[in-house]
Amino acid sequence: MTSHFITKRHEDLRAQVRAFAEAEVVPRIPEMEASKEVQHKLARLIAQQGWFGVTIGTGYGGMGAGHLARVLIIEGLSRYSAAAGGIAQASILGDAKILHWANSQQKKKWLPEIAEGRCLPTIAVTEHGSGGHVLGMETTAKRRRGGWVLNGRKCYVGNSHVGDVHGVVVRTGRGNRSRDLSCFLVQADTPGLSLAPHKPAIGMHGFSFGELIFDNCVVPDENLLGEEGDGRDIADSSSVLYGRLNLAAVALGLHRAAYEETVAFCNDRQRYGSDLGDLAVVNARMGEMRHRLETSRTAVYEAAHMLDTGQECDVKLMSAKYGAVQSGIHSAWDAMRTYGAAGLFSNHSIERIWRDLPCIEPPAGTSDVQLHRLGQKSRRTKYEPWSSRLAHLLTAA
């Protein structure tokens, strides 16, 4: 399974990720599943590989390898563990706001730290009361001499409990206009910022997507990202250009795992005097899984390649997330049907994959949201895609 977009450099990176995952991630999975605790050590170990700097330019110490390379890193880790893939995707997503919106001083301060694996960035947008309705958020930042005071809560923050610097989108105006939102870089040890206790979800055990609490949290003026009023654009551009493709890559890795594990299971089990896979219904099911996987991979890789080459591709990115998640979930269900009762127990990885995939549905917009946005783009004629607006910052080095 390959693509004409894949180069020798990509193949080498893919092999590097696979070797790391087999040596460092797979042995940790039983404990991750049993404890469901945040994997602080694993997060730092992944960061030390330099992969969080995959799209950061070499001038800041990053890999400068581009967006297809980030897909391969996230997909490769997710093939073995959704939590490991989630850790990578959340920090790489955290890069976006700084790459696209930071001033030169902020880039010099943060990008080398991220590229070297000494800083894990996050982005915090969602709130319980507003969900995907960004303009409905209630967390505020109020001016004070030399800085701002933040109050409120953010939920479902990827890498919440391991992040070092959070890009927090808050309300700085009183209305419901896009210009009423701004974004601040808030370091994890800032007084007034605390974490709600980690709550394990149905899947992705070991990954944290929890809650940040701001109680008179003071940040200086120099921590304002972009200009006052840029918060909505920072949230939207990060979600479209990084979040959706990252999550598509996690879904792709899990989809690949479901397919490969099912093939191995069918080749190992005997039914009616031959391999389970020789049964016509099972063989057709594996064919359908393979079709979905190949179709999803093509869409995801093409979208990443278009980002790398500066092409307009917002719609491709939305479609990639929608297709990868939906097809992955369908294939996980087909895998479970093939395993039968055996798939219900944790001695088979398919049970974990079946739980992990639904966790990829909500972030960066559920599938319903992707369809809504795609419908809007179909009717809107004056929309300027983020992939065009930020093209000069998106092409591979």
Side-chain angles (χ1 to χ4, degrees), residues 135 137 139 141 169-182 228-232:
L135 291 179
M137 69 174 58
T139 300
V169 178
V170 296
R171 179 171 297 285
T172 50
R174 296 183 179 181
N176 286 317
R177 304 167 305 165
S178 294
R179 300 299 296 174
D180 289 320
L181 306 181
S182 302
E228 184 179 347
D230 282 343
R232 174 66 183 272

Side-chain angles (χ1 to χ4, degrees), residues 115-170:
E116 293 174 16
R118 292 184 283 116
C119 174
L120 278 68
T122 80
I123 188 165
V125 179
T126 307
E127 298 182 11
H128 287 295
S130 54
H133 176 43
V134 176
L135 291 179
M137 69 174 58
E138 296 180 354
T139 300
T140 60
K142 297 187 183 298
R143 280 191 179 278
R144 56 164 282 177
R145 181 174 295 181
W148 299 77
V149 181
L150 276 62
N151 281 286
R153 303 167 83 100
K154 294 291 178 179
C155 61
Y156 312 136
V157 179
N159 278 347
S160 54
H161 286 59
V162 299
D164 298 304
V165 60
H166 306 288
V168 187
V169 178
V170 296

Side-chain angles (χ1 to χ4, degrees), residues 12 43 58 87 101 124 174 233-234 259 265 284 381:
D12 291 343
T58 55
I87 290 167
W101 297 94
R174 296 183 179 181
D233 285 348
I234 291 171
Y259 169 74
F265 180 79
T381 58

Side-chain angles (χ1 to χ4, degrees), residues 32-267:
M32 291 164 66
E33 289 298 312
S35 72
K36 303 180 182 179
E37 296 293 332
V38 178
Q39 292 296 303
H40 294 273
K41 290 183 179 179
L42 179 59
R44 297 295 164 183
L45 191 58
I46 297 172
Q48 290 167 12
Q49 309 310 304
W51 293 330
F52 296 170
V54 61
T55 59
I56 295 174
T58 55
Y60 291 105
M63 294 171 61
H67 299 278
L68 182 51
R70 76 163 148 119
V71 164
L72 296 178
I73 290 168
I74 297 167
E75 178 194 357
L77 290 170
S78 301
R79 164 59 182 88
Y80 297 91
S81 164
I87 290 167
Q89 80 82 19
S91 278
I92 295 172
L93 167 61
D95 298 351
K97 63 187 185 295
I98 299 174
L99 284 167
H100 300 159
W101 297 94
N103 59 38
S104 59
Q105 303 287 336
Q106 291 167 332
K107 288 182 178 181
K108 288 177 183 177
K109 178 178 180 178
W110 294 110
L111 292 182
E113 295 271 322
I114 296 168
E116 293 174 16
R118 292 184 283 116
C119 174
L120 278 68
T122 80
I123 188 165
V125 179
T126 307
E127 298 182 11
H128 287 295
S130 54
H133 176 43
V134 176
L135 291 179
M137 69 174 58
E138 296 180 354
T139 300
T140 60
K142 297 187 183 298
R143 280 191 179 278
R144 56 164 282 177
R145 181 174 295 181
W148 299 77
V149 181
L150 276 62
N151 281 286
R153 303 167 83 100
K154 294 291 178 179
C155 61
Y156 312 136
V157 179
N159 278 347
S160 54
H161 286 59
V162 299
D164 298 304
V165 60
H166 306 288
V168 187
V169 178
V170 296
R171 179 171 297 285
T172 50
R174 296 183 179 181
N176 286 317
R177 304 167 305 165
S178 294
R179 300 299 296 174
D180 289 320
L181 306 181
S182 302
C183 184
F184 296 88
L185 295 173
V186 185
Q187 291 171 256
D189 58 358
T190 304
L193 169 59
S194 61
L195 296 167
H198 170 64
K199 294 181 180 179
I202 185 176
M204 296 187 74
H205 296 150
F207 175 61
S208 62
F209 44 111
E211 190 169 11
L212 308 181
I213 304 169
F214 302 91
D215 183 8
N216 292 322
C217 179
V218 179
V219 296
D221 280 331
E222 58 263 29
N223 283 32
L224 175 65
L225 193 62
E227 302 292 335
E228 184 179 347
D230 282 343
R232 174 66 183 272
D233 285 348
I234 291 171
D236 285 353
S237 61
S238 297
S239 177
V240 171
L241 299 174
Y242 272 67
R244 287 166 181 164
L245 191 61
N246 285 7
L247 291 158
V250 176
L252 192 60
L254 288 168
H255 193 166
R256 194 175 114 216
Y259 169 74
E260 292 175 353
E261 297 287 339
T262 301
V263 169
F265 180 79
C266 289
N267 289 341

